[in-house]
């Protein structure tokens, strides 16, 4: 029987980008934090589903608007790329193994932060009349049970699993039919010969667009032969930063329900099959004749799950019209990007005005709950708005804000997350280097 410390100030459930940024932010404010992850390793989607592209984090003039922990995760994207999508600019991408090492390095540096992997939250004891979570049931991979207590709980499970266990309200899918964006199994190919490509500079935007076009010809052949069920119309791929690999984000599995283990397992089987079929088509290109699949991502890439109802629901109009909120605590510059739930490819719509929008603190607070904050892509927003802030730049800013808010709530002995003024959260975020807008309120020294 393992003896573990089971009382913390803050428990963050889920160690993807949102949970890691939340845990770092709270621990750096000297709160005692537990980060729980059900997988054997930390990293979540960005590591184990390998997504490659560092999605836009700059306004229309190229100024970064996610300058907090996101910059520590992807420093090269801030220095090497201008982010203006010029044809000859290098595509800002990352290597998932490198990202995992960065996460581990940052987490290990925090003395007040404890990480439990292989530890799944299976139940929540809550008092819904007072709107408070009391403790969590955590089951380890060895089958041991722990009751974990804290003052504040952060849902960084992406799919709102913690909130659903607590009994919080949520929505799933688009309004008309409840359908979710497609899921994807990504894979990496290496050992190809760029000199045989029409544009060998495939690490640039013009080069990667040219490569996608060339490969789509062979993919279309495969489709015409009936060699795949993949509904996507074309090939989507990205270069690895070292210029030696290509990440294919190009399989599409419809109707995956991320809240059902059976559905996720079936999606993984279908996606793996599609990945191998696509790889065989890619190898028909002379540049890829000797190429091999280096890995198939071990985790199904799920784009969308539960969206927990919060005090405010962010909408597509808010995003596209670059809406500003008095209680902004994060910002996002990425387009609305809906991967057609029926499999027909992705549709991108750019953010208007300055090219970014505010994410209000109210969207991070689960409605009716005092000590439950949302710190991953499960925040309160519509299907369309979610398609934008779900990317790692948006989610890292959401996580950092949620972790900061929880730490300040404990600092000020607040009973309810709502008692922490957004201007105070902004003050602390700004002091840590994060981009904020609006007035700031100094945190009194204790
Ligand atoms: C195929 C695909 C391609 C994408 N492409 C890009 C891209 O190019 N660029 C980009 O920026 N973004 C991209 N995204 C989006 C982005 O990667 C994710 O939305 C983002 O990483 C989600 O982060 P998160 O912290 O919200 O969730 P996750 O990283 O999914 O982390 C949630 C964690 O919670 C854990 N968890 C869940 N339930 C429990 C529980 N009960 N107990 C304990 N732990 C639990 C999970 O195991 C997981 O590790 C893509 C997504 C997909 C699926």
């Amino acid at each position: 029987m393992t003896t573990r410390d089971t009382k913390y100030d803050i428990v963050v459930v889920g160690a993807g980008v949102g949970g890691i940024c939340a845990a770092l932010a709270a621990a750096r404010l000297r709160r005692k934090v537990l980060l729980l992850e059900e997988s054997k390793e930390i990293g979540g989607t960005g590591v184990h589903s390998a997504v490659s592209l560092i999605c836009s984090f700059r306004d229309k003039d190229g100024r970064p608007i996610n300058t907090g922990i996101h910059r520590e995760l992807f420093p090269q994207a801030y220095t090497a790329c201008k982010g203006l999508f010029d044809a000859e600019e290098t595509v800002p991408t990352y290597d998932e193994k490198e990202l995992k090492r960065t996460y581990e390095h940052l987490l290990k540096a925090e003395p007040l932060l404890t990480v439990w992997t292989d530890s799944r939250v299976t139940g929540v004891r809550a008092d819904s009349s007072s709107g408070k979570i009391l403790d969590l049931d955590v089951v380890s991979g060895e089958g041991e049970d722990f009751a974990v207590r804290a003052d504040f709980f952060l849902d960084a499970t992406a799919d709102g699993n913690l909130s659903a266990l607590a009994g919080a309200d949520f929505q799933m899918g688009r309004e008309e039919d409840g359908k979710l964006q497609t899921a994807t199994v990504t894979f990496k190919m290496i050992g190809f010969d760029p000199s045989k490509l029409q544009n060998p500079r495939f690490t640039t935007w013009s080069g990667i667009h040219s490569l996608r076009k060339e490969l789509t010809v062979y993919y279309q052949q495969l489709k015409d032969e009936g060699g795949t069920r993949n509904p996507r119309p074309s090939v989507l791929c990205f270069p690895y930063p070292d210029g030696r690999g290509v990440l294919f984000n190009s399989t599409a599995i419809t109707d995956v329900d991320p809240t059902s283990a059976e559905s996720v397992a079936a999606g993984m089987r279908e996606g793996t099959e599609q990945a191998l079929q696509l790889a065989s088509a890619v190898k028909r290109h002379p540049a890829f004749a000797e190429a091999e699949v280096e890995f198939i991502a071990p985790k199904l890439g799920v784009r969308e799950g539960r969206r927990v109802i919060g005090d405010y629901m962010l909408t597509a109009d808010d995003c596209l019209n670059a809406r500003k909120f008095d209680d902004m605590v994060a910002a996002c510059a990425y387009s609305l990007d809906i991967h057609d739930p029926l499999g027909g490819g992705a549709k991108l719509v750019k953010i208007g005005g300055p090219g970014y929008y505010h994410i209000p603190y109210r969207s991070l607070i689960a409605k009716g709950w005092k000590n439950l904050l949302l710190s991953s892509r499960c925040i309160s927003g519509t299907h369309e708005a979610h398609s934008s802030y779900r990317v790692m730049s948006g989610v890292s800013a959401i996580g950092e804000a949620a972790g900061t808010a929880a730490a300040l709530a404990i600092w000020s002995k607040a009973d309810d997350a709502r008692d922490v003024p957004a201007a105070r959260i902004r003050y602390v975020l700004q002091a840590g280097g994060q981009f904020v807008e609006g007035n700031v309120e100094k945190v009194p020294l204790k």
Side-chain angles (χ1 to χ4, degrees):
M1 186 70 166
T2 322
T3 312
R4 294 193 195 181
D5 189 355
T6 54
K7 172 72 182 86
Y8 294 84
D9 293 331
I10 296 164
V11 174
V12 181
V13 184
V17 68
I20 289 172
C21 290
L24 286 172
R28 287 173 181 182
L29 292 169
R30 297 179 36 242
R31 297 302 103 196
K32 189 179 163 195
V33 179
L34 174 63
L35 176 61
L36 288 170
E37 169 54 50
E38 69 179 352
S39 305
K40 286 194 182 338
E41 294 180 348
I42 59 146
T45 300
V47 170
H48 304 293
S49 306
V51 306
S52 183
L53 182 67
I54 302 169
C55 284
S56 181
F57 55 87
R58 295 171 188 270
D59 70 11
K60 73 171 179 27
D61 299 320
R63 280 181 301 224
I65 55 98
N66 295 120
T67 51
I69 299 173
H70 186 260
R71 195 176 37 165
E72 297 176 58
L73 303 180
F74 306 109
Q76 72 287 3
Y78 285 78
T79 48
C81 312
K82 288 205 181 85
L84 295 175
F85 302 98
D86 293 336
E88 293 317 308
E89 191 184 14
T90 301
V91 182
T93 57
Y94 71 94
D95 182 313
E96 61 287 342
K97 290 194 213 83
E98 182 71 25
L99 177 62
K100 181 155 175 278
R101 279 194 291 273
T102 305
Y103 282 152
E104 286 167 345
H105 172 75
L106 294 174
L107 291 169
K108 268 194 197 125
E110 295 307 326
L112 293 182
L113 175 51
T114 303
V115 182
W116 293 2
T117 51
D118 207 8
S119 299
R120 180 182 171 83
V121 174
T122 55
V124 172
R125 205 160 63 86
D127 175 3
S128 53
S129 60
S130 68
K132 287 226 157 172
I133 292 182
L134 306 173
D135 56 44
L136 308 181
D137 295 328
V138 181
V139 178
S140 76
E142 281 88 49
E144 289 177 280
D145 279 315
F146 303 90
V148 176
R149 281 184 298 142
D151 296 315
F152 278 82
F153 296 86
L154 271 55
D155 189 341
T157 63
D159 294 323
N161 297 337
L162 173 64
S163 305
L165 285 170
D169 291 333
F170 61 84
Q171 293 181 348
M172 246 171 84
R174 58 186 183 186
E175 205 174 344
E176 60 267 38
D177 56 11
K179 283 193 178 290
L180 302 159
Q181 293 197 52
T182 48
T184 292
V185 172
T186 58
F187 63 98
K188 178 182 182 183
M189 290 186 82
I190 55 166
F192 48 91
D193 181 355
S195 71
K196 294 187 175 148
L197 298 175
Q198 283 169 18
N199 181 346
R201 299 190 63 228
F202 72 99
T203 56
T204 63
W205 282 112
S206 61
I208 199 69
H209 286 309
S210 167
L211 173 60
R212 290 173 188 168
K213 240 172 150 177
E214 284 189 62
L215 294 180
T216 295
V217 173
Y218 298 95
Y219 171 59
Q220 191 54 51
Q221 270 178 12
L222 177 79
K223 282 172 79 89
D224 293 344
E225 293 159 7
T228 184
R229 280 185 299 274
N230 188 342
R232 268 194 73 92
S234 56
V235 172
L236 181 64
C237 58
F238 297 95
Y240 270 78
D242 65 2
R244 294 166 65 168
V246 173
L247 193 279
F248 289 84
N249 175 352
S250 209
T251 62
I253 309 107
T254 54
D255 297 316
V256 172
D257 175 358
T259 67
S260 151
E262 293 74 34
S263 179
V264 170
M268 188 68 204
R269 282 194 297 277
E270 169 62 19
T272 305
E273 224 175 284
Q274 288 185 15
L276 294 171
Q277 290 158 349
L278 176 56
S280 71
V282 168
K283 279 173 72 68
R284 295 179 189 180
H285 189 299
F288 282 80
E290 305 296 320
E292 56 184 277
V293 174
E294 193 194 54
F295 78 76
I296 296 182
K299 184 179 171 183
L300 178 67
V302 171
R303 292 191 172 80
E304 187 179 1
R306 295 186 191 90
R307 292 173 283 104
V308 180
I309 310 282
D311 286 358
Y312 180 80
M313 185 172 282
L314 200 66
T315 67
D317 277 353
D318 294 335
C319 303
L320 294 175
N321 297 325
R323 183 151 176 209
K324 310 236 167 188
F325 289 95
D326 286 346
D327 64 334
M328 84 79 78
V329 288
C332 181
Y334 188 57
S335 306
L336 264 61
D337 175 10
I338 300 182
H339 288 246
D340 180 1
L342 304 179
K347 188 174 159 221
L348 274 92
V349 189
K350 279 197 163 167
I351 308 303
Y356 66 92
Y357 58 91
H358 286 176
I359 297 175
Y361 183 39
R362 284 165 297 155
S363 293
L364 275 53
I365 305 175
K367 195 170 187 171
W369 293 87
K370 289 182 178 160
N371 66 346
L372 172 57
L373 284 163
L374 310 168
S375 83
S376 57
R377 62 167 159 76
C378 66
I379 67 162
S380 181
T382 62
H383 165 77
E384 293 77 15
H386 166 280
S387 75
S388 164
Y389 57 68
R390 70 185 173 89
V391 297
M392 295 175 75
S393 48
V395 174
S396 64
I398 288 166
E400 188 170 349
T404 302
L408 287 177
I410 288 166
W411 181 276
S412 59
K413 296 192 171 41
D415 177 58
D416 188 332
R418 292 164 188 81
D419 296 338
V420 182
R424 207 171 267 190
I425 300 169
R426 288 196 294 266
Y427 174 80
V428 175
L429 287 171
Q430 179 174 258
Q434 180 61 294
F435 168 86
V436 293
E437 282 181 325
N439 66 318
V440 295
E441 186 181 312
K442 219 169 165 178
V443 178
L445 285 175
K446 292 207 172 174

